[in-house]
Amino acid sequence: MLPSMASRTIVDSVPRVAGPPADADALEDELDLLRDRFPGAIFERYLEQIPSVGAFVHVAAGAVVVGDVRLYDDVSLWYGCVLRGDLNRIEVHERSNIQDGAVVHLGDLDPTIIGEEVVVGHRAVLHGCLIRGGCLIGIQATVLDNVEIGEGSIIGSGALVTPGSTIPPRSLVLGVPGRVVKTLTAADEDFHRKLAGKYIRLAHNYRVG
């Protein structure tokens, strides 16, 4: 499907506020619990929005998690990654990982939703997109607003998926702009999901070792 290049950015979507929300102190108390749970990581609120974190999650020192970010069970965030949920929300579903230096943001109209057992490689950028389960997002790949990546796909290292693109399930996408060059197999998808499992074990070792 050809991408839609019309901008989805709304320039006047952010009003000024007069001050912090009425329950700011209670929100800060909740943030302090997260900071105690993950020493060295940065947890911040945006207005009344704060992150939520499931069981067996690993957030490495130096990772930044701001606003409406929802981390489900067995997620791992690695050194220097940034997840900023201010204009919309970010969801990282079960057993997925965001590797070192990756950036996850969103659009006025588009949350970023990462499905289960997704591997997001080092220094990748995800912005206002939907990544279905079992995908592998390569090192320094970029996926932009209003994109849907089908289940079990690979976005190759350095690839750029332009706004509005729909990538079919089990696709290999390469290049700038990204193009589907191959249809993958069930075995390929199974490999991605097993790779996500490797990161669950790695995160466990960091937590308890």
Side-chain angles (χ1 to χ4, degrees), residues 96 113-119 129-137 147-153 167-169 189 193:
S96 291
I113 299 176
I114 299 167
E116 83 290 346
E117 297 177 332
V118 171
V119 177
C129 54
L130 170 59
I131 312 293
R132 298 286 185 186
C135 288
L136 172 60
I137 310 300
V147 165
E148 179 176 346
I149 306 296
E151 191 169 28
S153 293
I167 304 300
E189 180 180 338
R193 293 181 182 273

Side-chain angles (χ1 to χ4, degrees), residues 177-193:
R179 294 284 184 263
V180 176
V181 300
K182 182 180 178 181
T183 299
L184 303 172
T185 66
D188 294 318
E189 180 180 338
D190 184 59
F191 175 83
H192 309 157
R193 293 181 182 273

Side-chain angles (χ1 to χ4, degrees), residues 66-86:
V66 179
D68 190 358
V69 178
R70 307 170 193 184
L71 306 178
Y72 290 75
D73 294 350
D74 286 306
V75 161
S76 60
L77 307 182
W78 295 89
Y79 300 96
C81 68
V82 177
L83 288 77
R84 177 158 60 93
D86 43 21

Side-chain angles (χ1 to χ4, degrees), residues 54-208:
F56 309 112
V57 169
H58 175 70
V59 182
V64 180
V65 188
V66 179
D68 190 358
V69 178
R70 307 170 193 184
L71 306 178
Y72 290 75
D73 294 350
D74 286 306
V75 161
S76 60
L77 307 182
W78 295 89
Y79 300 96
C81 68
V82 177
L83 288 77
R84 177 158 60 93
D86 43 21
L87 302 176
N88 211 310
R89 74 186 189 280
I90 295 169
E91 299 179 13
V92 185
H93 284 260
E94 292 84 354
R95 302 177 297 283
S96 291
N97 62 83
I98 313 294
Q99 296 178 16
D100 315 66
V103 174
V104 183
H105 194 225
L106 28 76
D108 294 297
L109 302 176
D110 303 299
T112 295
I113 299 176
I114 299 167
E116 83 290 346
E117 297 177 332
V118 171
V119 177
V120 179
H122 315 289
R123 297 181 64 190
V125 176
L126 304 181
H127 199 278
C129 54
L130 170 59
I131 312 293
R132 298 286 185 186
C135 288
L136 172 60
I137 310 300
I139 293 171
Q140 290 190 298
T142 300
V143 183
L144 294 178
D145 298 60
N146 194 30
V147 165
E148 179 176 346
I149 306 296
E151 191 169 28
S153 293
I154 297 175
I155 308 303
S157 297
L160 170 64
V161 185
T162 52
S165 301
T166 299
I167 304 300
R170 294 181 180 164
S171 295
L172 172 61
V173 176
L174 301 175
V176 179
R179 294 284 184 263
V180 176
V181 300
K182 182 180 178 181
T183 299
L184 303 172
T185 66
D188 294 318
E189 180 180 338
D190 184 59
F191 175 83
H192 309 157
R193 293 181 182 273
K194 288 178 178 177
L195 182 58
K198 175 183 176 180
Y199 268 83
I200 294 170
R201 298 189 299 275
L202 186 64
H204 169 83
N205 291 350
Y206 270 83
R207 286 198 313 273
V208 307

